[in-house]
Amino acid sequence: MSNLQLIRPLVHKLHAYVPGEQPKIKGLIKLNTNENPYPPSPRVLAAVKAAVDGRLRLYPNPTSEKLREKLAKLHGCKAENIIVGNGSDEVLALATRAFTEPEQKAESRKQKAKATVQYFTPSYSLYPVLADIHGAAKNAVPLKPDFSLPGISELKRGRQWNFGAALTFITTPNAPSGRGYKTSELEKLCRAQKGVVVLDEAYVDFASENALKLALKYPHVLVARTFSKAYSLCFQRVGYYVGHAELIAALDKLRDSYNVNGLGQIAAAATLDDLKFYRANFKKIIATRERLSRELTKLGFRVLPSQTNFILVKPPLFPAKEWLQKLRDKKILVRWFSAPEVRDYLRITIGTPAEAAALVKVVRGILPVPFSN
Ligand SMILES: *Cc1c(COP(=O)(O)O)cnc(C)c1O
């Protein structure tokens, strides 16, 4: 007898999220998961080290209280407007559980809407997995070919957009294209939406505007932020939502009691005491992004404008998937996605200036002579 029958069919059939590779290859230049190339501030490292002692036997603060208070001060709201998670991935997952019904219960159109998780494609590939885990219906709405957002009237005409979806995720700036969106455009989408809208601002510190004010203005809008990318803390897993107190309280009921580990809370709180350090890093990364974009453009790459710490590029001469392997052979790891809208592109994380220079050098070596200068 097989023990597979013990597993719920939904789980048995589930295609789990596939994270970017974390290979241990000596000398590898890792530009595949949008990690920050700069380490956390010395004050953050000192705070974490100082906390590693016998107190590890104690439970951490269950509600990340100090961190929420600091975040509230930063964002001009109250601690009741903030929930912290084990990475923003956790708070994204909490939203599917708090706001969408599992699909089996959906009979009428209205019920169907209440069981629908909606998102644009391409965007963060975790959203459909979260819907599947919950047994919710998925509504994937294509972005325009240049990765811009369709307007409300286009969405109405196209009929793909479900205005009553229980939950809509919008990655802004978009990943994997790097394209930034205007707060005014996002506001129109939010206003037209009856369900909860999550604006996933994982990369917003590298952009020219953010939409935080929408979370403070509209009772159905949440903004998700993370310490992972801009604040060099992927390892610690800290992310959060800003939003209306009632939505936050609902999410809070569902989370694990000690969802954010103590060292993560300490690291994130210390980060907020040293924002100057990080703002200098954002400037460096943005400067490297612009420089690398110019250099790859000169070498025949089509580089999409980016408001993030990565660029999406269409490489010349060989298919993108071949470029992935050619670069890997030279110890440079970038990301390639098989989805049809992006399969002709590579996504390249912005590293240090030295890493960018190494990439350009390797690219020159791969290109045949007439193209490489
Ligand atoms: C990386 C990423 C996240 C997840 O961040 P964590 O806080 O590390 O869980 C969420 N959304 C998008 C779009 C991301 O790229």
Side-chain angles (χ1 to χ4, degrees), residues 311-365:
I311 47 176
L312 194 70
V313 305
K314 199 179 254 185
L317 299 179
F318 315 109
K321 199 180 174 188
E322 247 174 70
W323 271 100
L324 175 77
Q325 190 55 46
K326 286 176 192 289
L327 292 171
R328 197 189 170 105
D329 292 344
K330 299 287 180 195
K331 291 202 172 180
I332 295 186
L333 188 54
V334 299
R335 193 92 185 257
W336 175 79
F337 299 95
S338 61
E341 320 87 275
V342 286
R343 56 173 307 135
D344 295 335
Y345 294 87
L346 296 172
R347 193 192 70 187
I348 304 173
T349 303
I350 305 303
T352 61
E355 288 171 328
L359 171 68
V360 169
K361 193 170 168 207
V362 163
V363 165
R364 281 213 165 92

Side-chain angles (χ1 to χ4, degrees), residues 33-34 86-90 92 124 127 171 175 200 202-203 225-229 234 237-239:
T33 49
N34 300 342
N86 184 34
S88 55
D89 283 354
E90 186 198 9
L92 298 176
Y124 190 28
Y127 311 141
T171 315
D200 182 349
Y203 299 102
R225 295 273 181 94
T226 173
F227 284 87
S228 293
K229 315 292 180 17
C234 291
R237 315 295 309 122
V238 188

Side-chain angles (χ1 to χ4, degrees), residues 20 30 54 57 64 75 80-81 107 134 140 167 202 222-223 234 250 283 320 342 344 354 359 368 373:
K30 197 174 170 301
R57 74 189 175 83
S64 305
H75 294 313
E80 66 185 28
N81 298 116
E107 279 150 24
H134 192 58
L167 178 60
L222 295 166
V223 164
C234 291
K283 277 201 184 142
V342 286
D344 295 335
L359 171 68
N373 45 36

